[in-house]
Structure formats: structure tokens, C-alpha cells
């Protein structure tokens, strides 16, 4: 006897299962709408900001691209990297070398640098994972590789050793060479577009099978492996995407500042600049690194400006060496203590509860 009972409709009090494709589509549409609206709003900033403020905004966008790249590997992939300066530096030096010595457009350099950095990152990650380096050991290994690249660059004649590269300033605007008149809003809009692409990659990756596998491996490697997931492949895909995005930030850095040296490209401070926005904003979230960069970038400049020209009641602080760094670090520590899951992560959890 066949069952002819019609399926019971879902009521308002009954949510569809977590793997229902309708939920994924809704989530995807919501993220894409936020991305489009956010880019449209931010694109107006160059028309409102002065030249100095625009410079801070561009620096913040570079931080954001780096943080989104780092988050792909360390947030979604679960492999904490303390050596992302290696991949940023590969991008910065690839762009500088191809432009200065061979006259190749930075647009082409971005593609070359992304591929090269992804290949190097996959090779490093494979060696680390192959020999079971995980957690703090993996982080130390990435830091060691970044320092190794720093030493190599400082001793290579072809890369001008400690002198680095100076990019020639052209007499007129050039789209192909990514040079425009000083203060041009294009210097803001281009990294904004790069950041939008990086965030789009994160959104698509999180919802892809590869992204789901990587997050499963991050949460429980043994369980993921028992389900037939190729844990090595899942992690290496995350690494490749992360290193590629970070390298593009490096290429643009060189082009915007017209100079790159070993410390600017491979110094340990570069890795910190990739990590802090993601941690402050929320690791393992789509918008955490962007929000973190939006807070960290202007905050450091604001603290330095206030302490450089303090109000009357704080005049005794003027001229104190290193005070701006101490205050800035203290503020970051307070943010982390108050919001342990980052700004976006904490707000999201409270909103859901």
C-alpha cells in the first residue's frame, strides 16, 4: 500500500536543515549585496578626503587585502602563519624587478606574482605538513622562511641587496604602468577593486566544496580524514589562494610607494600588519579582516597625530619617544580583551543570541 500523504509544509517555526541549498543561496546573496553596497559607498571617499587622509585610506586598503589573504589560510584553513611577509615580499619584489629591470606592466606582475607566491607557499606548506608541523610549530616554520627570504634578498646583487628598488616616476599618467598624478582617486579605487576581488574570492571559497573541506579539516582533522577528505589537498588550496592574494597586495605596495627594500617587503612587521586586522576584526569570518583593517589603519595614524601635537592638558607627553606605539598597542590589547572573537565575530554572536 503506497503512502499518498502529501509532504507537510514547513511552518514559520520550523527552520530548514543547515545544509538546505536555500540557506546557502540566501547567505551568498546577502554577502554579495553587502560587498556591492560597501564598494559603492567607499568609492566616494576619495572625493571627500584630503590628500593626507587619502594616503592613510590607501594604506588601510593594502592592510585589508593582506588580512583577507592571511585569513584564507589561517582563519578558514586553520594554519596560523607568522610569516606572511614572505608572500607579500615575493609580490613586492616581483613587481619591482619586472617593472624596473624589464619594463613589464604591474598588471602583468600581479598575475605573475600571485602564481609565483602561490607555488612557493604550497611548497613551504607541503614540507611543513608532510613532516607533521602543526600549530605553533607551523607558525614558527613560516616565520623562519620569511626571515630566510629576507636574508637571501639582502645578499642578492640581482635584487640590489639592501638598497632595494626605486620605481621611476613617469612624467604623465599611465594606466599600463599604474601611475597617475599625485592625489588621484585612482590610487584609492584600484586597491579598493583588488580588495573587492579578494573578498569575493573568500565568499566563493567558503561556499565551495574545497572551502567546506578546509574548514572541516580545521575543526577536526581526524574526523575529516575518516570521511574521505584529502586533508593535504584541502589545506594546500587554502594556502595557494592566501599567498596569491597577499602577493597582489605586495605588487600594489611597490607601485604606490615607488620603492621597496628588504625590510619593507620581508620584515617581521609586515607579517604583523597582516595578522592584526584579522585578529581585531574576527578570524575565520568574511568581513572581520576588512573591519579590522578599517579600525587598525586609521587608529595608528590617529594616535601618532594626537601624541605628536597633544592637547594642552597632555602637553607633557609631547616628544616622548615610542609613546605612540605603546598607546596603540594598549588600545589593541583592550579591543582583544573586550571582544575576544574580534569586532565582527563578537557583534555577530551577540546579534544571533
Amino acid at each position: 500500500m503506497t503512502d499518498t500523504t502529501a509532504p507537510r509544509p514547513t511552518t514559520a517555526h520550523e527552520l530548514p536543515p543547515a545544509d538546505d541549498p536555500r540557506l546557502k543561496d540566501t547567505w551568498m546573496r546577502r554577502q554579495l549585496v553587502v560587498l556591492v553596497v560597501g564598494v559603492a559607498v567607499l568609492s566616494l571617499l576619495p572625493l571627500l578626503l584630503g590628500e593626507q587622509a587619502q594616503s592613510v585610506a590607501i594604506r588601510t586598503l593594502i592592510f585589508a587585502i593582506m588580512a583577507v589573504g592571511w585569513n584564507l589560510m589561517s582563519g578558514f584553513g586553520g594554519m596560523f602563519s607568522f610569516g606572511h611577509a614572505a608572500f607579500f615580499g615575493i609580490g613586492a619584489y616581483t613587481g619591482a624587478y619586472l617593472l624596473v629591470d624589464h619594463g613589464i606592466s604591474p598588471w602583468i606582475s600581479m598575475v605573475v606574482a600571485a602564481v609565483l607566491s602561490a607555488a612557493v607557499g604550497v611548497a613551504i606548506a607541503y614540507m611543513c605538513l608532510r613532516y607533521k608541523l602543526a600549530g605553533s610549530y607551523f607558525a614558527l616554520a613560516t616565520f623562519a622562511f620569511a626571515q630566510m627570504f629576507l636574508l637571501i634578498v639582502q645578499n642578492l646583487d640581482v635584487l640590489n641587496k639592501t638598497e632595494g628598488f626605486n620605481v621611476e616616476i613617469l612624467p604623465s599618467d599611465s594606466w599600463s604602468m599604474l601611475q597617475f598624478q599625485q592625489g588621484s582617486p585612482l590610487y584609492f579605487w584600484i586597491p579598493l577593486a583588488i580588495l573587492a576581488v579578494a573578498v569575493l574570492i573568500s565568499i566563493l571559497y567558503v561556499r565551495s566544496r574545497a572551502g567546506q573541506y578546509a574548514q572541516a579539516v580545521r575543526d577536526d582533522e581526524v574526523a575529516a580524514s575518516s570521511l574521505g577528505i584529502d586533508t593535504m589537498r584541502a589545506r594546500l588550496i587554502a594556502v595557494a589562494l592566501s599567498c596569491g592574494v597577499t602577493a597582489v597586495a605586495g605588487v600594489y605596495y611597490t607601485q604606490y610607494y615607488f620603492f621597496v627594500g628588504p625590510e619593507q617587503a620581508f620584515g617581521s612587521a609586515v607579517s604583523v600588519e597582516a595578522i592584526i586586522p584579522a585578529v581585531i576584526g574576527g578570524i575565520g569570518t568574511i568581513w572581520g579582516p576588512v573591519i579590522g583593517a578599517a579600525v587598525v589603519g586609521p587608529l595608528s595614524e590617529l594616535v601618532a597625530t594626537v601624541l605628536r601635537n597633544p592637547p594642552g592638558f597632555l602637553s607633557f607627553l609631547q616628544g616622548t619617544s615610542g609613546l605612540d606605539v605603546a598607546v596603540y598597542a594598549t588600545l589593541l590589547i583592550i579591543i582583544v580583551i573586550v571582544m575576544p572573537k574580534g569586532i565582527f565575530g563578537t557583534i555577530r554572536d551577540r546579534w544571533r543570541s
Side-chain angles (χ1 to χ4, degrees):
M1 183 176 180
T2 59
D3 183 6
T4 58
T5 305
R8 186 164 52 93
T10 303
T11 66
H13 300 287
E14 296 177 351
L15 296 176
D19 58 350
D20 192 305
R22 290 173 296 173
L23 290 181
K24 295 184 179 181
D25 292 342
T26 301
W27 181 90
M28 180 78 75
R29 284 196 298 269
R30 187 164 58 244
Q31 305 307 314
L32 294 177
V33 167
V34 172
L35 177 60
V36 171
V37 173
V39 169
V41 172
L42 291 176
S43 64
L44 300 176
L45 280 182
L47 307 177
L48 306 174
L49 299 177
E51 188 172 326
Q52 182 177 357
Q54 182 174 322
S55 178
V56 174
I58 293 169
R59 183 166 165 263
T60 299
L61 288 174
I62 295 174
F63 284 174
I65 297 168
M66 294 167 59
V68 170
W70 183 87
N71 191 52
L72 283 165
M73 175 176 172
S74 302
F76 297 121
M79 295 164 286
F80 192 93
S81 168
F82 201 68
H84 249 53
F87 315 117
F88 178 86
I90 288 174
Y93 262 83
T94 299
Y97 173 74
L98 292 179
L99 176 62
V100 174
D101 287 1
H102 300 282
I104 296 177
S105 169
W107 297 106
I108 298 175
S109 297
M110 288 182 186
V111 178
V112 174
V115 173
L116 179 60
S117 182
V120 173
V122 166
I124 292 173
Y126 178 81
M127 286 189 289
C128 293
L129 297 174
R130 174 69 176 76
Y131 293 101
K132 308 298 182 182
L133 294 180
S136 58
Y137 296 103
F138 184 90
L140 290 174
T142 58
F143 176 76
F145 275 106
Q147 292 301 297
M148 181 184 72
F149 287 150
L150 173 62
L151 294 174
I152 291 174
V153 168
Q154 288 176 334
N155 290 277
L156 280 179
D157 288 328
V158 70
L159 297 179
N160 297 332
K161 293 187 174 181
T162 57
E163 296 180 6
F165 286 96
N166 286 290
V167 176
E168 180 184 359
I169 300 178
L170 302 178
S172 59
D173 291 0
S174 173
W175 263 100
S176 63
M177 292 301 172
L178 255 179
Q179 287 196 29
F180 313 99
Q181 62 180 336
Q182 188 174 358
S184 170
L186 291 170
Y187 279 122
F188 179 91
W189 289 332
I190 290 173
L192 178 61
I194 295 172
L195 175 60
V197 172
V199 173
L200 179 61
I201 289 173
S202 293
I203 293 172
L204 297 177
Y205 175 69
V206 166
R207 277 311 189 204
S208 70
R209 180 170 296 182
Q212 295 290 321
Y213 285 172
Q215 292 173 81
V217 174
R218 175 199 64 189
D219 295 338
D220 193 328
E221 182 179 358
V222 175
S225 180
S226 67
L227 293 173
I229 296 176
D230 186 338
T231 59
M232 177 69 79
R233 182 173 182 272
R235 285 171 163 172
L236 293 183
I237 291 174
V239 170
L241 291 173
S242 173
C243 297
V245 169
T246 306
V248 173
V251 175
Y252 188 78
Y253 174 91
T254 299
Q255 196 59 35
Y256 178 69
Y257 289 103
F258 298 106
F259 170 77
V260 67
E263 284 294 336
Q264 289 78 19
F266 295 98
S268 57
V270 177
S271 295
V272 174
E273 289 171 351
I275 297 170
I276 288 180
V279 172
I280 295 299
I283 298 176
T285 64
I286 296 293
W287 301 106
V290 179
I291 294 174
V295 171
V296 170
L299 180 62
S300 60
E301 186 67 21
L302 177 63
V303 170
T305 301
V306 169
L307 294 180
R308 193 181 302 122
N309 299 294
F313 69 95
L314 293 177
S315 59
F316 65 94
L317 297 176
Q318 189 168 11
T320 305
S321 177
L323 184 60
D324 57 334
V325 178
V327 173
Y328 172 63
T330 302
L331 291 175
L332 294 182
I333 291 171
I334 292 173
I335 293 174
V336 171
I337 292 175
V338 174
M339 299 180 173
K341 291 186 178 181
I343 297 172
F344 179 80
T346 301
I347 294 174
R348 180 194 59 187
D349 288 352
R350 290 179 180 176
W351 177 266
R352 289 177 176 177
S353 61

